Amino acid sequence: MTMRLTEHEQEMAAGLHGPPRKWAMEMLMKVGTVFDAEDLVEISQVHLMADTEATGEEGVRFVEWIGTHEPSQSMVRVPAVTDPRGADFTGYKRIKQPEKFIELERRADAAFRALGFMMTDTCINYQTINPPVQGEHLAFGDTGSSIYANSVLGARTNFEGGPSALAAALTGRVPRYGFHLDSCRRGSTRFVIDVQPNGLSDWGALGGIIGRQMKSYWEVPVIEGVTSAPTSDEIKHFGAALASFGSTPLFHMIGVTPEAPDLGAVFDGPAPEPRRIGDSDLAQFYKDFGPKDDKLDVVVFAAPQLSLFELESLARLLQGRKVNDKVTLIATTSPEMKSAADRMGLTSMIEGAGGIVLQGVCFYQMHAREIGEANGWRNLLSNSAKLVNILGGYGYQTHLADMAACVDAAVAGRIGA
Amino acid sequence: MSTRVYKGHVGTGAPVTGEALVASDNFSARYDLDLVAGIFSRPTHALHGQSYVGKILILNAAKGGVATAWMLRDMKACGRAPAALILNFANTIMVQGAAFADLALIDRFDVDITTAIKNGEPVAVDPAAGTLTVG
């Protein structure tokens, strides 16, 4: 099938607006062809994931190549912001991050700035930068930000990984397929929860339980039985875990999310038989990430980056206490929230207790394998279901607990304190 | 030996031939691979410890995050990429990564491709036609 292009799009595809926009159009059309897109849709903002562990040097070289063209050919066409980077230039030495990674990260940072990207370095842009509105077409490049924008805010995006988000920024467009279309946003699987999650790690666990059952990117889970609306941070952890375990860009939560006032609004015809999730499922999930012994090396609060409210909770839990000398406690947040936390005294409360607050990064996006080896970290405790899922492949023994239990363990120097 | 042909959706990338490495597990480059060693590193993955370099990698569904969209090109530049990615269900990230890397990718077959093809079989991948030919 041939995609319909406007006159301007045809000009970009023909190279009349320079090689970078020609490359971008080719990228959009290749992807659009695989997913049967009939045309392109204009987008209002771009969120680009481009930590250097993911880009490698090859990816950075490519972005630098775009920057070799004159601005009329290489600058972004819509507001474009960035996901967490691979290094906090103000704090990387505290976690013994090798200099070779910092050098590449500085090159990437400069290359994206040259194209007009705003270096927000955050995965919680929907909480802290410019929250989308219902029906807005986007090119979001982090699974957690995409699922939140689609589900909680009713905006429309596919997962746009770095190269396609870059192509979207250079053209102001994405192929119109998937979650830009009404037809893809209908529910496909129904879950009824018989247990009410309590706190961020429970919400993340619930997302993980459902995510494990997702068969493909196109499956849209519908969740019933939530008796009171979760907070922004709770549904953030739910969505991030669901997207991480399942590669899922959209969920509907009956009575909570905007496209799901009731079952009839999300299913065509009778709703399918529900799968039920109860206490035992939640307990089993924690058991799957339970410790084999009480050894503890590092406690991490990240994935997603912490909101101001989460930083405040962490600061209060650490008040008057001291992180054990054998343990490193790390919290990651966005530069904006770090600045706010500095101003409000939260950073000094966390760091006064022996913790480390990093900005513009997320733990798994800053060469987690190498920093683990450099610091001797193996047993990791977190309240993020997403993080404990990802880091299993990085040589860590990962364990899940709620924020208070994580802090207790960090202070005691062992899990199960 | 008889030839078998499996039809999927039109994919992306150039035609390629190679030896199949097959599992019914899912796939994410960031979550599952040690990119330096060129092996599957997630302990719970069926292919844990095995090299994927130069293989026609045949797995069930794309899972996890967005990093694979960048990673495939760098893996190819470093000479440590699979020759092709064949999935029952790709997600957008796998397709974007394959398009960026010019790596062959096909998905959405009329059978479960992870059970149709055996480990070690020789496979020809034709993304423009959306076909896998075995034997």
Side-chain angles (χ1 to χ4, degrees), chain A residues 93-109:
Chain A
K93 289 182 180 168
R94 302 169 76 187
I95 54 166
K96 300 180 186 171
Q97 211 172 354
E99 285 288 342
K100 64 177 178 179
F101 298 139
I102 308 306
E103 168 63 22
L104 187 59
E105 198 60 45
R106 288 193 197 283
R107 276 176 57 190
D109 185 80

Side-chain angles (χ1 to χ4, degrees), chain B residues 74-101:
Chain B
D74 194 60
M75 288 160 67
K76 197 172 169 184
C78 296
R80 287 193 294 271
L85 263 179
I86 306 299
L87 299 161
N88 279 325
F89 295 102
N91 64 3
T92 59
I93 296 304
M94 292 294 153
V95 173
Q96 293 157 10
F100 186 51

Side-chain angles (χ1 to χ4, degrees), chain B:
Chain B
M1 192 165 80
S2 63
T3 296
R4 312 191 316 268
V5 179
Y6 298 97
K7 182 81 178 79
H9 193 279
V10 169
T12 191
V16 66
T17 58
E19 182 183 306
L21 178 62
V22 188
S24 57
D25 286 36
N26 300 313
F27 180 63
S28 159
R30 167 114 74 186
Y31 292 16
D32 294 331
L33 305 183
D34 181 331
L35 300 179
V36 176
I39 58 170
F40 279 82
S41 58
R42 174 176 283 265
T44 54
H45 201 285
L47 299 178
H48 179 241
Q50 296 199 48
S51 170
Y52 54 80
V53 177
K55 299 290 174 62
I56 308 292
L57 194 51
I58 300 179
L59 293 162
N60 180 41
K63 284 268 179 171
V66 299
T68 307
W70 284 111
M71 283 176 166
L72 294 177
R73 185 180 175 116
D74 194 60
M75 288 160 67
K76 197 172 169 184
C78 296
R80 287 193 294 271
L85 263 179
I86 306 299
L87 299 161
N88 279 325
F89 295 102
N91 64 3
T92 59
I93 296 304
M94 292 294 153
V95 173
Q96 293 157 10
F100 186 51
D102 196 21
L103 187 80
L105 178 146
I106 304 176
D107 78 334
R108 286 166 283 172
F109 292 86
D110 43 18
V111 296
D112 177 354
I113 201 66
T114 68
T115 57
I117 295 180
K118 302 285 177 269
N119 230 351
E121 285 191 310
V123 180
V125 181
D126 184 346
T131 58
L132 294 190
T133 305
V134 183

Side-chain angles (χ1 to χ4, degrees), chain A residues 71-406:
Chain A
S72 67
Q73 299 181 351
S74 61
M75 296 294 284
V76 299
R77 285 267 172 88
V78 291
V81 302
T82 55
D83 204 36
R85 313 284 322 138
D88 174 354
F89 297 135
T90 66
Y92 71 91
K93 289 182 180 168
R94 302 169 76 187
I95 54 166
K96 300 180 186 171
Q97 211 172 354
E99 285 288 342
K100 64 177 178 179
F101 298 139
I102 308 306
E103 168 63 22
L104 187 59
E105 198 60 45
R106 288 193 197 283
R107 276 176 57 190
D109 185 80
F112 283 115
R113 283 177 198 275
L115 307 185
F117 277 87
M118 292 178 271
M119 307 306 286
T120 53
D121 303 346
T122 183
C123 58
I124 52 169
N125 56 318
Y126 51 85
Q127 286 183 317
T128 62
I129 303 292
N130 208 330
V133 298
Q134 188 164 6
E136 191 174 354
H137 291 278
L138 313 166
F140 269 19
D142 171 279
T143 57
S145 65
S146 296
I147 195 170
Y148 196 103
N150 271 327
S151 312
V152 182
L153 304 175
R156 296 184 170 221
T157 186
N158 287 304
F159 289 163
E160 300 289 357
S164 65
L166 178 58
L170 288 167
T171 60
R173 290 152 169 80
V174 294
R176 193 194 305 268
Y177 70 93
F179 295 92
H180 293 281
L181 303 174
D182 289 344
S183 57
C184 276
R185 300 178 69 88
R186 311 295 293 155
S188 42
T189 313
R190 180 181 169 202
F191 293 87
V192 173
I193 61 166
D194 298 316
V195 54
Q196 296 304 309
N198 180 22
L200 303 178
S201 58
D202 270 10
W203 278 99
L206 181 63
I209 290 165
I210 295 172
R212 280 174 168 172
Q213 299 180 53
M214 294 294 99
K215 293 188 182 65
S216 83
Y217 177 83
W218 310 105
E219 190 170 0
V220 178
V222 175
I223 298 96
E224 281 180 275
V226 175
T227 54
S228 64
T231 64
S232 174
D233 288 327
E234 287 170 340
I235 207 161
K236 167 176 91 170
H237 273 266
F238 171 80
L242 172 52
S244 172
F245 280 84
S247 188
T248 302
L250 172 67
F251 67 86
H252 297 300
M253 194 175 282
I254 301 298
V256 174
T257 59
E259 293 172 53
D262 51 48
L263 282 179
V266 290
F267 286 113
D268 296 317
E273 281 299 307
R275 302 177 195 174
R276 304 198 82 91
I277 297 173
D279 273 326
S280 61
D281 299 297
L282 209 55
Q284 182 60 48
F285 190 88
Y286 278 96
K287 200 173 166 191
D288 292 345
F289 292 101
K292 293 184 179 61
D293 52 45
D294 66 355
K295 287 183 188 162
L296 179 61
D297 302 311
V298 61
V299 176
V300 181
F301 300 102
Q305 288 176 333
L306 273 63
S307 70
L308 191 61
F309 291 3
E310 289 172 282
L311 287 165
E312 201 267 350
S313 296
L314 179 59
R316 298 285 168 218
L317 286 166
L318 282 165
Q319 203 163 23
R321 305 170 84 183
K322 195 77 183 167
V323 174
N324 192 285
D325 288 343
K326 296 180 207 156
V327 174
T328 306
L329 183 148
I330 295 172
T332 72
T333 190
S334 71
E336 274 66 36
M337 291 304 98
K338 171 69 165 44
S339 175
D342 289 353
R343 198 154 43 84
M344 294 167 195
L346 302 175
T347 307
S348 61
M349 286 170 73
I350 296 167
E351 299 208 332
I356 297 172
V357 181
L358 297 174
Q359 61 176 323
V361 290
C362 190
F363 190 83
Y364 73 92
Q365 288 175 297
M366 51 183 191
H367 305 276
R369 185 189 309 279
E370 288 79 5
I371 59 172
E373 288 166 359
N375 290 281
W377 296 333
R378 179 162 174 78
N379 286 282
L380 179 146
L381 183 65
S382 176
N383 71 336
S384 163
K386 173 176 178 172
L387 190 71
V388 299
N389 180 38
I390 295 174
L391 289 177
Y394 280 74
Y396 289 83
Q397 293 283 341
T398 59
H399 315 299
L400 181 68
D402 68 28
M403 184 184 273
C406 287

